[in-house]
Amino acid sequence: MTLAAGVSKFEAVTMAPPDPILGVSEAFRADTSDAKLNLGVGAYRTEELQPLVLNVVKKAEKKMLESGENKEYLPIEGLAAFNKATAELLLGADSPAIKEGRVATVQGLSGTGSLRLGAAFIQRYFPGAKVLISSPTWGNHKNIFNDAGVPWSEYRYFEPKTVGLDFEGMMADIKDAPSGSFILLHGCAHNPTGIDPTPEQWEKIADLIEEKGHMAFFDVAYQGFASGSLDQDADSVRLFVKRGLEILVAQSYSKNLGLYAERIGAINAVVHSSDVAVRVKSQLKRLARPMYSNPPVHGAKIVANVVGDAALFDEWRAEMEMMAGRIKTVRQRLYDDLSTKDKSGKDWSFVLKQIGMFSFTGLNRAQSDNMSDKWHVYMTKDGRISLAGLSLAKCSYLADAIIDSYYNVQ
Ligand code: PLA
């Protein structure tokens, strides 16, 4: 007799809600309309709305295949050539912090896994310390710190009235946080608002963090995607390092090298001495080992090959400028279409002012629902659209959808 389907021991397990970002892609896939458009996840598409594998990635992979590389385990901290390349890309190849051995770099499972490792480190070595997260922020930040058991609260960031930065609110909240807090900062191209502090504001943020004895924890998921320049997009991080502040930085190659599925990134701790760096690195490894043992090799080799080869590196920069440029072009077209179609005189210029992959439209939840239910345009419910998933050909349709949702849905 086979066992009957009795009461499951898993009966108490409830249904989890769909993920606010990746769940949008699931809903998109289920939609059979020809008009459908996925502006949910921040993944780059060509004008034909197809995924793009960069030429430099193909060239690096060809090289790897030809050299007949093996599938041995990487060390816990990852591929040495990758760790060197990624720290240099972040801080600059001539960075004194690197030369002095003050940077502890451990390869992570892309941006998310690197943030998670950083969070586990905070939980273990700074028990009770709070992380301050911008309001709003990337939908996964809170999950990451929750699951690592790190308490967090929010600092003001976005001012809906000006569709800009609430700099005073931000500074007041950082000031009020207990000394020794970690301040999570988006290195560039803030997700979801597309609004970054100015260089002068970054200086003031650094002043305050230093004064309060806090530590900055940078999330750098879009280096190269804000301005098109890898160096310029790292200015915020480099400013803190130049001032001698200790920081944590999570990096991701999902967007700038289009390596989404390879899960390649890093966690870096820039500290006061090489002695401390060695110890911090040893503890990051100790945290990684029981979580996933050691990281995957393929993406690490791609990054090491691209960054470590002058010709490929130049080609990468050109490809990134092309991607950032295409996003700027659709941004402009969307703004033009919104401004011409909307006869009410509403100022849509915030679309142009925002930077990076996204536009934060100000559409509320009901309006976002209308976008998907009526127009088959999928976006996150916080009103964010990914311009990286938009083509010039679809701008006019999208503008119609936004105007309808904005004026006809409360
Ligand atoms: N940090 C920020 C600010 C991000 O926006 C993302 C990705 C990550 C980290 C992590 O990406 P990674 O793990 O792939 O390196 N945000 C995406 C995708 C693009 C996602 O939600 O996972 C987004 O649509 O917001």
Side-chain angles (χ1 to χ4, degrees):
M1 211 182 84
T2 51
L3 271 177
V7 176
S8 170
K9 291 216 166 45
F10 298 99
E11 208 57 59
V13 177
T14 56
M15 190 65 191
D19 182 78
I21 298 176
L22 299 185
V24 174
S25 299
E26 290 169 31
F28 170 80
R29 279 193 285 272
D31 188 328
T32 52
S33 164
D34 287 337
K36 70 176 178 176
L37 194 55
N38 187 2
L39 307 182
V41 68
Y44 184 82
R45 295 283 177 270
T46 63
E47 174 64 25
E48 293 70 40
L49 298 182
Q50 294 306 305
L52 178 72
V53 180
L54 297 189
N55 266 325
V56 284
V57 169
K58 288 182 194 157
K59 285 185 184 169
E61 285 181 322
K62 188 161 173 270
K63 223 161 114 179
M64 285 153 60
L65 208 61
E66 281 164 3
S67 64
E69 285 166 351
N70 63 43
K71 301 288 182 193
E72 291 289 290
Y73 287 131
L74 281 183
I76 302 170
E77 72 264 37
L79 186 73
F82 165 79
N83 286 344
K84 178 175 183 297
T86 198
E88 289 181 357
L89 196 76
L90 180 69
L91 303 176
D94 54 356
S95 159
I98 296 177
K99 293 212 174 94
E100 292 155 14
R102 295 191 286 109
V103 187
T105 303
V106 169
Q107 185 185 328
L109 305 180
S110 210
T112 307
S114 304
L115 285 163
R116 183 66 176 78
L117 205 51
F121 186 80
I122 292 173
Q123 193 272 339
R124 186 161 293 177
Y125 287 97
F126 301 86
K130 208 160 83 166
V131 173
L132 261 77
I133 300 177
S134 67
S135 173
T137 194
W138 174 47
N140 213 15
H141 277 147
K142 293 171 186 173
N143 300 332
I144 290 170
F145 291 102
N146 278 342
D147 281 9
V150 176
W152 55 267
S153 62
E154 294 183 309
Y155 61 84
R156 280 168 280 173
Y157 192 83
F158 183 67
E159 173 51 64
K161 275 194 230 107
T162 58
V163 201
L165 179 64
D166 179 2
F167 186 63
E168 268 153 40
M170 175 182 186
M171 293 292 276
D173 293 341
I174 293 175
K175 195 168 182 186
D176 279 352
S179 169
S181 295
F182 288 80
I183 315 298
L184 189 73
L185 298 162
H186 299 221
C188 65
H190 183 273
N191 176 7
T193 65
I195 297 157
D196 286 350
T198 63
E200 296 71 37
Q201 288 171 333
W202 275 120
E203 291 277 359
K204 290 190 176 134
I205 295 166
D207 284 341
L208 182 58
I209 287 179
E210 182 169 17
E211 198 181 297
K212 286 284 306 187
H214 296 324
M215 195 187 297
F217 187 169
F218 282 96
D219 180 359
V220 177
Y222 298 94
Q223 191 179 350
F225 251 100
S227 65
S229 152
L230 284 162
D231 284 319
Q232 199 178 319
D233 285 358
D235 278 349
S236 56
V237 171
R238 292 179 190 179
L239 164 81
F240 278 66
V241 175
K242 213 163 155 189
R243 294 173 62 139
L245 298 174
E246 297 188 303
I247 56 171
L248 291 172
V249 191
Q251 290 172 280
S252 163
Y253 290 90
S254 291
K255 274 71 75 172
N256 54 13
L257 254 174
L259 293 177
Y260 307 92
E262 296 298 350
R263 314 308 299 143
I264 179 65
I267 179 80
N268 304 267
V270 184
V271 297
H272 283 333
S273 70
S274 60
D275 182 47
V276 173
V278 170
R279 280 182 276 138
V280 168
K281 186 165 176 169
S282 75
Q283 293 295 346
L284 286 169
K285 287 164 65 176
R286 190 183 185 186
L287 286 162
R289 171 69 168 144
M291 269 201 236
Y292 57 85
S293 193
N294 47 71
V297 72
H298 192 73
K301 283 195 175 154
I302 296 172
V303 175
N305 271 303
V306 171
V307 178
D309 178 305
L312 286 185
F313 188 61
D314 282 347
E315 203 177 325
W316 177 33
R317 284 210 295 230
E319 288 195 276
M320 202 151 37
E321 273 170 32
M322 181 279 292
M323 290 192 284
R326 199 190 81 73
I327 297 171
K328 282 190 189 139
T329 314
V330 290
R331 198 181 271 292
Q332 180 70 49
R333 176 71 64 86
L334 178 63
Y335 165 76
D336 292 343
D337 285 339
L338 284 166
S339 307
T340 354
K341 286 170 188 281
D342 181 358
K343 305 292 180 209
S344 78
K346 176 179 160 61
D347 180 9
W348 292 96
S349 62
F350 65 86
V351 173
L352 290 181
K353 286 184 200 128
Q354 297 167 341
I355 54 171
M357 272 195 162
F358 302 107
S359 180
F360 202 47
T361 61
L363 294 179
N364 64 30
R365 200 184 171 91
Q367 293 164 338
S368 305
D369 284 341
N370 185 64
M371 294 285 285
S372 54
D373 298 349
K374 179 170 169 190
W375 293 88
H376 309 278
V377 174
Y378 290 82
M379 57 188 286
T380 53
K381 301 299 176 198
D382 58 359
R384 185 190 87 170
I385 53 176
S386 166
L387 297 180
L390 179 63
S391 61
L392 283 173
K394 293 274 190 181
C395 284
S396 168
Y397 179 81
L398 177 62
D400 288 335
I402 292 176
I403 290 169
D404 173 56
S405 305
Y406 185 77
Y407 291 107
N408 300 328
V409 180
Q410 281 312 299

